[in-house]
Amino acid sequence: AQIIGKTDYEFVDKDQADFFREYDRRATAAGKPCTNEEWLTFAETGYRGLFETVKTPLWDHSGMQVGVLGIARDITERHRAEEQRRITATAFEAQEGIVITGANRSILRVNRAFTDITGYTSDDAIGQTLHLLHSDRQDSAVFRAISADIARTDSWQLERVLARDGQVIFVIKGNQPRT
């Protein structure tokens, strides 16, 4: 009863209602269902999400079009997951060595730059804890100076890492904030 007989213009702002109408017209012109992705903001709650919508023209028994059926499915989380995978894949192509660890600090994934820098293969590293890379050598004055500069930020620190051949190398470690 709250929506029957009302138009999009009574639920969303004019620009968004115009956008909906344009896709209705496209489905009508095509004479078949049309699928779109649309960012929608709900006036009542303020929720903003990405929705996959299917617009399908509806005809009565005589073949006259009587409306457009719209079905929407919230794909916001799927979109975010795909975006995160894309970012991760791009990061893994970087020249910097990258290590992804689990909650128990076990290594889940490394990129090629990591293997080039440390000499460890992916097979050597994956499943090991970060202790694999730990060095107990004393800090040098250079290490302490660089580390002090980096420590002023919230998410970076300098660490000594032990390469497979026993050489100590210095790396800047980034901590991703938890969300």
Side-chain angles (χ1 to χ4, degrees), residues 88-161:
T88 299
T90 301
F92 262 68
E93 296 169 4
Q95 299 299 313
E96 295 82 15
I98 298 175
V99 177
I100 295 180
T101 61
N104 63 356
R105 297 183 55 117
S106 67
I107 298 172
L108 302 175
R109 189 170 173 199
V110 298
N111 71 345
R112 183 180 180 109
F114 167 87
T115 62
D116 291 346
I117 292 166
T118 65
Y120 290 104
T121 66
S122 294
D123 289 340
D124 291 336
I126 294 173
Q128 300 293 320
T129 66
L130 288 177
H131 285 65
L132 170 75
L133 305 174
H134 226 249
S135 166
D136 293 326
R137 293 210 183 156
Q138 293 294 332
D139 291 348
S140 68
V142 172
F143 175 85
R144 287 192 302 273
I146 295 170
S147 188
D149 275 347
I150 292 171
R152 290 184 208 148
T153 69
D154 289 339
S155 59
W156 301 99
Q157 65 188 42
L158 188 68
E159 287 190 357
R160 294 174 315 278
V161 171

Coordinates of all heavy atoms in Angstrom, one line a residue, residues 88-161:
T88 N 45.4 -6.4 -4.2 CA 46.4 -7.4 -3.8 C 47.2 -7.9 -4.9 O 48.4 -8.0 -4.9 CB 45.7 -8.5 -3.0 OG1 45.0 -8.0 -1.9 CG2 46.7 -9.6 -2.5
A89 N 46.5 -8.2 -6.0 CA 47.2 -8.7 -7.2 C 48.2 -7.7 -7.8 O 49.3 -8.0 -8.1 CB 46.2 -9.1 -8.3
T90 N 47.7 -6.4 -7.8 CA 48.6 -5.3 -8.2 C 49.8 -5.2 -7.3 O 50.9 -5.0 -7.8 CB 47.8 -4.0 -8.3 OG1 46.7 -4.2 -9.2 CG2 48.7 -2.9 -8.8
A91 N 49.5 -5.2 -6.0 CA 50.6 -5.1 -5.0 C 51.6 -6.2 -5.2 O 52.8 -6.0 -5.0 CB 50.0 -5.0 -3.6
F92 N 51.2 -7.4 -5.5 CA 52.0 -8.5 -5.6 C 53.0 -8.4 -6.8 O 53.9 -9.2 -6.9 CB 51.3 -9.8 -5.6 CG 51.3 -10.4 -4.2 CD1 50.6 -9.8 -3.2 CD2 52.0 -11.6 -3.9 CE1 50.6 -10.3 -1.9 CE2 52.0 -12.1 -2.6 CZ 51.3 -11.5 -1.6
E93 N 52.6 -7.5 -7.7 CA 53.5 -7.3 -8.9 C 54.6 -6.3 -8.6 O 55.4 -6.0 -9.4 CB 52.7 -6.9 -10.1 CG 51.7 -8.0 -10.5 CD 50.7 -7.5 -11.5 OE1 50.8 -6.3 -12.0 OE2 49.8 -8.2 -11.9
A94 N 54.5 -5.7 -7.4 CA 55.4 -4.6 -7.0 C 56.9 -5.1 -6.9 O 57.2 -6.3 -6.8 CB 55.0 -4.0 -5.7
Q95 N 57.8 -4.1 -6.9 CA 59.2 -4.4 -6.8 C 59.6 -4.7 -5.3 O 60.6 -5.2 -5.0 CB 60.0 -3.2 -7.3 CG 59.8 -3.0 -8.8 CD 60.2 -4.1 -9.6 OE1 61.3 -4.7 -9.5 NE2 59.4 -4.5 -10.6
E96 N 58.7 -4.3 -4.4 CA 58.9 -4.5 -3.0 C 58.5 -5.9 -2.6 O 57.5 -6.5 -3.1 CB 58.1 -3.5 -2.1 CG 58.5 -2.1 -2.3 CD 57.9 -1.4 -3.6 OE1 57.0 -2.0 -4.1 OE2 58.4 -0.4 -4.0
G97 N 59.3 -6.5 -1.7 CA 58.9 -7.8 -1.2 C 57.7 -7.7 -0.3 O 57.6 -6.9 0.6
I98 N 56.7 -8.6 -0.5 CA 55.5 -8.6 0.2 C 55.2 -9.9 0.8 O 55.4 -11.0 0.2 CB 54.3 -8.2 -0.6 CG1 54.5 -6.8 -1.2 CG2 53.0 -8.3 0.1 CD1 53.4 -6.3 -2.2
V99 N 54.9 -9.9 2.1 CA 54.5 -11.2 2.8 C 53.2 -11.0 3.5 O 52.9 -10.0 4.1 CB 55.6 -11.5 4.0 CG1 55.2 -12.7 4.8 CG2 57.0 -11.6 3.5
I100 N 52.3 -11.9 3.2 CA 51.0 -11.9 3.9 C 51.0 -13.0 4.9 O 51.3 -14.1 4.7 CB 49.8 -12.1 2.9 CG1 49.8 -10.9 1.9 CG2 48.5 -12.2 3.6 CD1 48.7 -11.0 0.9
T101 N 50.6 -12.6 6.2 CA 50.6 -13.5 7.3 C 49.2 -13.7 7.8 O 48.4 -12.8 7.7 CB 51.5 -13.1 8.4 OG1 51.1 -11.8 8.9 CG2 53.0 -13.0 7.9
G102 N 49.0 -14.9 8.5 CA 47.8 -15.1 9.2 C 47.8 -14.6 10.6 O 48.8 -14.0 11.0
A103 N 46.7 -14.8 11.3 CA 46.6 -14.3 12.7 C 47.8 -14.9 13.6 O 48.2 -14.2 14.5 CB 45.3 -14.7 13.3
N104 N 48.2 -16.1 13.3 CA 49.3 -16.7 14.1 C 50.7 -16.4 13.6 O 51.6 -17.0 14.0 CB 49.1 -18.2 14.2 CG 49.2 -18.9 12.8 OD1 49.4 -18.2 11.8 ND2 49.1 -20.2 12.8
R105 N 50.8 -15.4 12.7 CA 52.0 -14.9 12.1 C 52.6 -16.0 11.1 O 53.8 -15.9 10.8 CB 53.0 -14.5 13.2 CG 52.5 -13.3 14.0 CD 53.5 -12.8 15.0 NE 54.8 -12.5 14.3 CZ 55.4 -11.3 14.3 NH1 54.8 -10.3 14.8 NH2 56.6 -11.2 13.7
S106 N 51.8 -17.0 10.7 CA 52.4 -17.9 9.7 C 52.2 -17.3 8.4 O 51.3 -16.5 8.1 CB 51.6 -19.2 9.8 OG 50.3 -19.1 9.4
I107 N 53.2 -17.5 7.5 CA 53.3 -16.9 6.2 C 52.3 -17.6 5.3 O 52.3 -18.9 5.1 CB 54.7 -17.0 5.6 CG1 55.6 -16.2 6.5 CG2 54.7 -16.5 4.2 CD1 57.1 -16.4 6.2
L108 N 51.4 -16.9 4.7 CA 50.3 -17.4 3.8 C 50.7 -17.2 2.3 O 50.3 -18.0 1.5 CB 49.0 -16.7 4.1 CG 48.4 -16.8 5.5 CD1 47.2 -16.0 5.6 CD2 48.2 -18.2 5.8
R109 N 51.4 -16.1 2.0 CA 51.7 -15.8 0.6 C 52.9 -14.8 0.6 O 53.0 -14.0 1.4 CB 50.5 -15.2 0.0 CG 50.6 -15.0 -1.5 CD 49.2 -14.6 -2.1 NE 49.4 -14.3 -3.5 CZ 48.6 -13.7 -4.2 NH1 47.5 -13.2 -3.7 NH2 48.8 -13.4 -5.5
V110 N 53.7 -15.0 -0.4 CA 54.8 -14.0 -0.7 C 54.8 -13.7 -2.2 O 54.3 -14.5 -3.0 CB 56.2 -14.6 -0.3 CG1 56.2 -14.9 1.2 CG2 56.5 -15.9 -1.1
N111 N 55.4 -12.6 -2.5 CA 55.5 -12.2 -3.9 C 56.9 -12.5 -4.5 O 57.8 -12.9 -3.7 CB 55.0 -10.8 -4.2 CG 56.0 -9.8 -3.7 OD1 56.9 -10.1 -2.9 ND2 55.9 -8.5 -4.1
R112 N 57.0 -12.4 -5.8 CA 58.3 -12.7 -6.4 C 59.4 -11.8 -5.9 O 60.6 -12.3 -5.7 CB 58.2 -12.6 -7.9 CG 59.4 -13.0 -8.6 CD 59.3 -12.9 -10.1 NE 60.6 -13.2 -10.7 CZ 60.7 -14.3 -11.4 NH1 59.7 -15.2 -11.6 NH2 61.9 -14.6 -12.0
A113 N 59.1 -10.6 -5.6 CA 60.2 -9.7 -5.1 C 60.7 -10.2 -3.8 O 61.9 -10.1 -3.5 CB 59.7 -8.2 -5.0
F114 N 59.8 -10.7 -2.9 CA 60.3 -11.3 -1.7 C 61.3 -12.4 -1.9 O 62.3 -12.5 -1.3 CB 59.0 -11.8 -0.9 CG 59.4 -12.7 0.3 CD1 59.7 -12.1 1.5 CD2 59.5 -14.1 0.2 CE1 60.0 -12.9 2.6 CE2 59.9 -14.9 1.2 CZ 60.1 -14.3 2.5
T115 N 60.9 -13.3 -2.8 CA 61.8 -14.4 -3.1 C 63.2 -13.9 -3.7 O 64.2 -14.5 -3.3 CB 61.2 -15.5 -4.0 OG1 60.9 -14.9 -5.2 CG2 59.9 -16.1 -3.3
D116 N 63.1 -12.9 -4.5 CA 64.3 -12.4 -5.1 C 65.2 -11.7 -4.0 O 66.4 -11.9 -4.0 CB 64.0 -11.3 -6.2 CG 63.4 -12.0 -7.4 OD1 63.5 -13.2 -7.6 OD2 62.8 -11.2 -8.2
I117 N 64.6 -11.0 -3.1 CA 65.3 -10.3 -2.0 C 65.9 -11.2 -1.0 O 67.0 -11.1 -0.6 CB 64.4 -9.2 -1.4 CG1 64.1 -8.1 -2.4 CG2 65.1 -8.7 -0.1 CD1 62.9 -7.2 -1.9
T118 N 65.1 -12.2 -0.6 CA 65.5 -13.0 0.6 C 66.2 -14.3 0.1 O 66.9 -14.9 0.9 CB 64.3 -13.4 1.4 OG1 63.4 -14.2 0.7 CG2 63.6 -12.2 2.0
G119 N 66.0 -14.8 -1.1 CA 66.5 -16.1 -1.5 C 65.6 -17.3 -1.1 O 65.9 -18.4 -1.5
Y120 N 64.6 -17.0 -0.3 CA 63.7 -18.1 0.0 C 62.7 -18.3 -1.1 O 62.3 -17.3 -1.8 CB 62.9 -17.7 1.3 CG 63.6 -17.7 2.5 CD1 64.0 -16.6 3.1 CD2 64.0 -18.9 3.2 CE1 64.8 -16.6 4.3 CE2 64.7 -19.0 4.3 CZ 65.1 -17.8 4.9 OH 65.8 -17.8 6.1
T121 N 62.3 -19.5 -1.4 CA 61.3 -19.8 -2.4 C 59.9 -19.6 -1.7 O 59.9 -19.6 -0.5 CB 61.4 -21.2 -3.0 OG1 61.1 -22.1 -2.0 CG2 62.8 -21.4 -3.6
S122 N 58.9 -19.6 -2.5 CA 57.5 -19.6 -1.9 C 57.3 -20.8 -1.0 O 56.8 -20.8 0.0 CB 56.5 -19.5 -3.0 OG 56.5 -18.3 -3.7
D123 N 57.8 -22.0 -1.6 CA 57.6 -23.2 -0.8 C 58.4 -23.2 0.5 O 58.0 -23.8 1.5 CB 58.1 -24.4 -1.7 CG 57.2 -24.7 -2.8 OD1 56.0 -24.3 -2.8 OD2 57.6 -25.4 -3.8
D124 N 59.6 -22.5 0.5 CA 60.3 -22.4 1.8 C 59.6 -21.6 2.8 O 59.6 -21.9 4.0 CB 61.7 -21.7 1.5 CG 62.7 -22.4 0.7 OD1 62.6 -23.6 0.7 OD2 63.6 -21.7 0.1
A125 N 58.9 -20.5 2.3 CA 58.3 -19.6 3.3 C 56.9 -19.9 3.7 O 56.6 -19.8 4.9 CB 58.3 -18.2 2.6
I126 N 56.1 -20.3 2.8 CA 54.6 -20.5 3.1 C 54.5 -21.6 4.1 O 55.0 -22.7 4.0 CB 53.8 -20.8 1.8 CG1 53.8 -19.6 0.9 CG2 52.4 -21.3 2.1 CD1 53.2 -19.7 -0.4
G127 N 53.7 -21.3 5.1 CA 53.5 -22.2 6.2 C 54.4 -22.0 7.4 O 54.2 -22.5 8.5
Q128 N 55.6 -21.3 7.2 CA 56.5 -21.0 8.2 C 56.0 -19.8 9.0 O 55.2 -19.0 8.5 CB 57.9 -20.7 7.7 CG 58.5 -21.8 6.9 CD 58.8 -23.0 7.8 OE1 59.3 -22.8 8.9 NE2 58.6 -24.2 7.3
T129 N 56.5 -19.6 10.2 CA 56.2 -18.3 10.9 C 57.2 -17.3 10.5 O 58.2 -17.6 9.9 CB 56.2 -18.5 12.4 OG1 57.5 -18.8 12.8 CG2 55.3 -19.6 12.9
L130 N 57.0 -16.1 10.9 CA 57.9 -15.0 10.6 C 59.2 -15.2 11.3 O 60.2 -14.5 10.9 CB 57.3 -13.6 11.0 CG 56.1 -13.2 10.1 CD1 55.6 -11.9 10.6 CD2 56.6 -13.0 8.7
H131 N 59.3 -16.1 12.2 CA 60.6 -16.4 12.8 C 61.6 -16.9 11.8 O 62.8 -16.8 12.0 CB 60.5 -17.4 14.0 CG 59.8 -16.8 15.2 ND1 58.6 -16.4 15.2 CD2 60.4 -16.6 16.4 CE1 58.3 -15.9 16.4 NE2 59.4 -16.1 17.2
L132 N 61.2 -17.4 10.7 CA 62.0 -17.8 9.6 C 62.9 -16.7 9.2 O 64.1 -16.9 8.8 CB 61.2 -18.3 8.4 CG 61.9 -18.5 7.1 CD1 62.7 -19.9 7.2 CD2 60.9 -18.6 5.9
L133 N 62.4 -15.5 9.3 CA 63.1 -14.3 8.8 C 63.8 -13.5 9.9 O 64.4 -12.4 9.7 CB 62.1 -13.3 8.1 CG 61.3 -13.9 7.0 CD1 60.3 -12.9 6.5 CD2 62.2 -14.4 5.9
H134 N 63.8 -14.0 11.1 CA 64.2 -13.2 12.3 C 65.8 -13.2 12.4 O 66.4 -14.2 12.2 CB 63.7 -13.9 13.6 CG 63.2 -12.9 14.5 ND1 63.8 -12.6 15.7 CD2 62.1 -12.0 14.4 CE1 63.1 -11.7 16.3 NE2 62.1 -11.3 15.6
S135 N 66.3 -12.1 12.7 CA 67.8 -11.9 12.9 C 68.0 -11.5 14.3 O 67.3 -10.6 14.8 CB 68.3 -10.9 11.9 OG 69.6 -10.6 12.3
D136 N 69.0 -12.0 15.0 CA 69.3 -11.6 16.3 C 70.6 -10.7 16.4 O 71.1 -10.5 17.5 CB 69.5 -12.9 17.2 CG 68.3 -13.7 17.4 OD1 67.2 -13.0 17.5 OD2 68.3 -14.9 17.5
R137 N 71.0 -10.3 15.3 CA 72.2 -9.4 15.3 C 72.0 -8.1 16.0 O 70.8 -7.6 16.0 CB 72.7 -9.2 13.8 CG 73.2 -10.4 13.2 CD 74.2 -10.1 12.2 NE 74.6 -11.3 11.5 CZ 75.2 -11.3 10.3 NH1 75.4 -10.2 9.6 NH2 75.5 -12.5 9.7
Q138 N 73.0 -7.5 16.5 CA 72.9 -6.2 17.2 C 72.5 -5.1 16.2 O 73.0 -5.2 15.0 CB 74.2 -5.8 17.9 CG 74.6 -6.8 19.0 CD 73.6 -6.6 20.2 OE1 73.0 -5.5 20.3 NE2 73.4 -7.7 20.9
D139 N 71.8 -4.1 16.6 CA 71.4 -3.0 15.8 C 72.7 -2.1 15.5 O 73.5 -1.9 16.4 CB 70.4 -2.1 16.4 CG 69.1 -2.7 16.6 OD1 68.9 -3.8 15.9 OD2 68.2 -2.2 17.3
S140 N 72.8 -1.7 14.3 CA 73.9 -0.7 14.0 C 73.4 0.7 14.2 O 72.2 0.9 14.4 CB 74.3 -0.9 12.5 OG 73.2 -0.5 11.7
A141 N 74.3 1.6 14.3 CA 73.9 3.0 14.4 C 73.0 3.5 13.3 O 72.0 4.2 13.5 CB 75.1 3.9 14.5
V142 N 73.3 3.0 12.1 CA 72.5 3.4 10.9 C 71.0 2.8 11.1 O 70.1 3.5 10.9 CB 73.1 2.9 9.6 CG1 72.2 3.1 8.4 CG2 74.4 3.6 9.4
F143 N 71.0 1.5 11.5 CA 69.7 0.9 11.7 C 68.8 1.7 12.7 O 67.7 2.0 12.5 CB 69.8 -0.5 12.1 CG 68.5 -1.2 12.5 CD1 67.8 -1.8 11.5 CD2 68.1 -1.3 13.8 CE1 66.6 -2.5 11.8 CE2 66.9 -1.9 14.1 CZ 66.1 -2.5 13.1
R144 N 69.5 2.0 13.8 CA 68.7 2.7 14.9 C 68.3 4.1 14.4 O 67.2 4.5 14.7 CB 69.6 2.9 16.1 CG 69.8 1.5 16.9 CD 70.4 1.7 18.3 NE 71.7 2.4 18.2 CZ 72.9 1.7 18.1 NH1 72.9 0.4 17.9 NH2 74.0 2.4 18.1
A145 N 69.1 4.8 13.6 CA 68.7 6.1 13.2 C 67.5 6.1 12.2 O 66.6 6.8 12.3 CB 69.9 6.8 12.5
I146 N 67.6 5.1 11.2 CA 66.5 5.0 10.2 C 65.3 4.5 11.0 O 64.2 5.0 10.7 CB 66.9 4.0 9.1 CG1 68.1 4.6 8.3 CG2 65.8 3.7 8.2 CD1 68.7 3.6 7.3
S147 N 65.4 3.6 11.9 CA 64.3 3.0 12.6 C 63.6 4.1 13.4 O 62.4 4.2 13.5 CB 64.7 1.9 13.5 OG 63.6 1.3 14.1
A148 N 64.3 5.0 14.0 CA 63.7 6.1 14.8 C 62.9 7.0 13.9 O 61.8 7.5 14.3 CB 64.8 6.9 15.5
D149 N 63.4 7.3 12.7 CA 62.6 8.1 11.7 C 61.3 7.5 11.3 O 60.3 8.1 11.3 CB 63.5 8.4 10.5 CG 64.4 9.6 10.6 OD1 64.2 10.4 11.6 OD2 65.3 9.8 9.8
I150 N 61.4 6.2 11.0 CA 60.3 5.5 10.5 C 59.3 5.3 11.6 O 58.1 5.3 11.4 CB 60.7 4.1 9.9 CG1 61.5 4.4 8.6 CG2 59.5 3.2 9.6 CD1 62.1 3.1 8.1
A151 N 59.7 5.1 12.9 CA 58.8 4.8 14.0 C 57.9 6.0 14.3 O 56.9 5.9 15.0 CB 59.7 4.5 15.3
R152 N 58.2 7.2 13.7 CA 57.3 8.3 14.0 C 56.0 8.2 13.3 O 55.0 8.9 13.5 CB 58.0 9.6 13.5 CG 59.1 10.0 14.4 CD 59.8 11.3 14.0 NE 61.2 11.2 14.4 CZ 62.2 11.8 13.8 NH1 62.0 12.5 12.7 NH2 63.4 11.6 14.2
T153 N 55.9 7.3 12.3 CA 54.6 7.0 11.7 C 53.8 5.9 12.5 O 54.4 5.2 13.3 CB 54.8 6.6 10.2 OG1 55.4 5.3 10.2 CG2 55.6 7.5 9.4
D154 N 52.6 5.8 12.2 CA 51.8 4.8 12.9 C 51.9 3.4 12.3 O 51.6 2.4 13.0 CB 50.3 5.2 12.8 CG 50.0 6.4 13.7 OD1 50.7 6.7 14.6 OD2 48.9 7.0 13.4
S155 N 52.3 3.3 11.1 CA 52.2 2.0 10.4 C 53.4 1.4 9.8 O 53.4 0.5 9.0 CB 51.1 2.0 9.4 OG 51.4 3.0 8.4
W156 N 54.6 2.0 10.1 CA 55.8 1.5 9.5 C 56.9 1.3 10.6 O 57.0 2.0 11.5 CB 56.4 2.5 8.5 CG 55.4 2.7 7.4 CD1 54.5 3.8 7.3 CD2 55.1 1.9 6.3 NE1 53.7 3.7 6.2 CE2 54.1 2.5 5.5 CE3 55.6 0.7 5.8 CZ2 53.6 2.0 4.4 CZ3 55.1 0.1 4.6 CH2 54.1 0.8 3.9
Q157 N 57.8 0.3 10.3 CA 58.9 0.1 11.2 C 60.0 -0.6 10.4 O 59.7 -1.2 9.4 CB 58.6 -0.7 12.4 CG 58.1 -2.1 12.1 CD 57.6 -2.8 13.4 OE1 56.9 -2.3 14.2 NE2 58.0 -4.1 13.5
L158 N 61.2 -0.4 10.8 CA 62.4 -1.0 10.2 C 62.7 -2.3 10.9 O 62.7 -2.3 12.1 CB 63.6 0.0 10.2 CG 64.8 -0.5 9.3 CD1 64.4 -0.4 7.9 CD2 66.0 0.4 9.6
E159 N 63.0 -3.3 10.2 CA 63.3 -4.6 10.8 C 64.5 -5.2 10.1 O 64.7 -5.0 8.9 CB 62.2 -5.6 10.7 CG 61.0 -5.3 11.6 CD 60.0 -6.5 11.7 OE1 60.2 -7.5 11.0 OE2 59.1 -6.3 12.4
R160 N 65.3 -6.0 10.9 CA 66.3 -6.8 10.3 C 65.7 -8.1 9.9 O 65.0 -8.7 10.6 CB 67.4 -7.1 11.3 CG 68.2 -5.9 11.8 CD 69.1 -6.2 13.0 NE 68.5 -7.0 14.0 CZ 67.8 -6.6 15.0 NH1 67.5 -5.3 15.1 NH2 67.3 -7.4 15.9
V161 N 66.1 -8.6 8.7 CA 65.6 -9.9 8.2 C 66.8 -10.7 7.8 O 67.8 -10.2 7.2 CB 64.7 -9.6 7.0 CG1 64.3 -10.9 6.3 CG2 63.4 -8.9 7.4

